Amino acid sequence: MGCREVYDWGALCNTRDLRRYLPFVAGGFHLGWINRDLLDLLRGERGFVLNAEYVELDPDLRTPLERTVALAELGGRWRDSGVVTGWRGELYDIVPYPNGPVVMQMERAVTRLFGLINTGAHVNGYVRDGAEILMWVGRRAADKPTFPGKLDQMAAGGIATSMAPETVARKEAWEEAGVKPELANAMCEASAVTMFMEHEQVIFRDVDHVFDLELPVDFVPYPMDSEVSEFELYSTDDLFDIVTTTDRFKPDCNLVVLDFLIRHRRITKDDRLVHDVLLGLRKGV
């Protein structure tokens, strides 16, 4: 019997070749990374200055609003021409680093082409059966624009402009898993993980705020929208096996699961994986 491949998600979620990219600069800040293959799209645009070292949004756009308007017009044309797919109709705050100043706002679907920081809220919904902990895992719908059919947390979503992580976590818990407000009151922000990886010729830079929610043992999640196709209940042993030997989860969701397993002592300091895992959870962005 051959050996199964071991997946080191701490490393995989922080693997990229930045030689393929140029820094994207706006408002005096380095905000992201643009694939060199996309430069021809920008050369004809009035709002960009290109040189051998970086791509800069027109410095005469001096306010966040001016930059937002310019990128909205560009994003709309790219959507209509098919350059951008999976349009969300959601604006993200664009920052140079987590909790940094908002340099502009941009449609969520466009941010990946510029390698910008995306923030999200992930909810670990779990139950206790005696000493055992079991986690509810959702499967992403087959028509999701990113990572269709992959496993995911019970609920998760991007943090749109002016929304707090907890607000998004509670909203997604209801919309994706039918968690009523009275149950969501037990939710607590437990951690955060980061990712800085190359995927399908763009840079993914994510900060995921992680929430734990212990649920009644008889609770069964039910999708209120169409973003989750089904839910399954997994033991921590099963979760450990899935994230270390398969790619069944969406990439950053592996980090969220590993973080949960460490915090709930399924992976201990005596496990030879723990050092590398801990290093990989928060070295992105």
Side-chain angles (χ1 to χ4, degrees):
M1 181 181 294
C3 294
R4 288 192 296 177
E5 182 175 359
V6 175
Y7 284 77
D8 179 357
W9 287 104
L12 291 170
C13 287
N14 290 283
T15 298
R16 66 271 177 181
D17 183 358
L18 293 180
R19 293 174 298 179
R20 303 176 184 175
Y21 298 83
L22 283 180
F24 172 57
V25 175
F29 292 100
H30 176 193
L31 297 177
W33 298 90
I34 299 176
N35 193 307
R36 293 175 184 270
D37 291 343
L38 295 176
L39 296 183
D40 285 344
L41 282 173
L42 295 175
R43 285 196 175 93
E45 299 292 342
R46 291 176 299 172
F48 293 88
V49 179
L50 281 69
N51 59 51
E53 302 298 326
Y54 57 87
V55 176
E56 184 177 17
L57 188 65
D58 187 347
D60 288 336
L61 300 171
R62 300 186 182 277
T63 68
L65 178 58
E66 290 174 336
R67 299 178 198 117
T68 298
V69 170
L71 267 299
E73 192 274 335
L74 174 67
R77 284 193 284 109
W78 281 3
R79 173 198 60 203
D80 295 342
S81 66
V83 173
V84 174
T85 58
W87 194 267
R88 305 297 186 92
E90 295 180 6
L91 290 178
Y92 273 9
D93 288 337
I94 305 306
V95 297
Y97 47 84
N99 301 315
V102 178
V103 179
M104 62 182 139
Q105 296 169 344
M106 188 184 292
E107 154 64 31
R108 176 178 179 178
V110 182
T111 60
R112 295 301 191 189
L113 293 182
F114 288 87
L116 304 172
I117 293 174
N118 281 210
T119 58
H122 289 236
V123 181
N124 293 313
Y126 68 98
V127 299
R128 295 184 186 271
D129 182 8
E132 181 65 73
I133 293 177
L134 302 102
M135 181 186 288
W136 284 107
V137 171
R139 184 178 300 278
R140 296 165 67 83
D143 60 354
K144 290 280 286 184
T146 57
F147 303 103
K150 291 288 188 180
L151 299 182
D152 205 324
Q153 270 67 63
M154 182 185 75
I159 299 175
T161 292
S162 302
M163 294 189 73
E166 182 179 359
T167 302
V168 174
R170 293 172 68 95
K171 170 179 173 290
E172 298 294 339
W174 165 248
E175 293 178 354
E176 294 188 351
V179 177
K180 294 181 179 179
E182 54 268 28
L183 281 181
N185 287 337
M187 186 185 301
C188 63
E189 185 164 4
S191 186
V193 300
T194 64
M195 178 172 72
F196 189 165
M197 72 179 289
E198 187 175 9
H199 176 72
E200 294 184 348
Q201 299 184 324
V202 296
I203 294 295
F204 278 51
R205 298 168 66 211
D206 289 7
V207 178
D208 294 338
H209 296 261
V210 180
F211 293 80
D212 283 357
L213 176 59
E214 184 172 353
L215 293 160
V217 70
D218 60 350
F219 174 82
V220 178
Y222 179 82
M224 307 297 286
D225 60 19
S226 60
E227 297 199 7
V228 180
S229 63
E230 62 178 348
F231 291 97
E232 294 180 273
L233 194 60
Y234 288 95
S235 70
T236 53
D237 287 343
D238 289 338
L239 289 171
F240 179 81
D241 185 61
I242 291 170
V243 300
T244 57
T245 64
T246 80
D247 62 351
R248 291 170 60 192
F249 272 95
K250 176 174 171 276
D252 59 324
C253 296
N254 291 283
L255 301 181
V256 176
V257 171
L258 288 165
D259 174 76
F260 181 89
L261 295 177
I262 290 170
R263 289 188 291 102
H264 290 268
R265 303 181 187 280
R266 172 55 183 83
I267 305 176
T268 71
K269 64 181 181 180
D270 298 322
D271 193 305
R272 65 180 185 176
L273 281 176
V274 73
H275 180 262
D276 291 341
V277 168
L278 282 170
L279 285 178
L281 292 179
R282 281 170 276 276
K283 71 178 182 181
V285 178

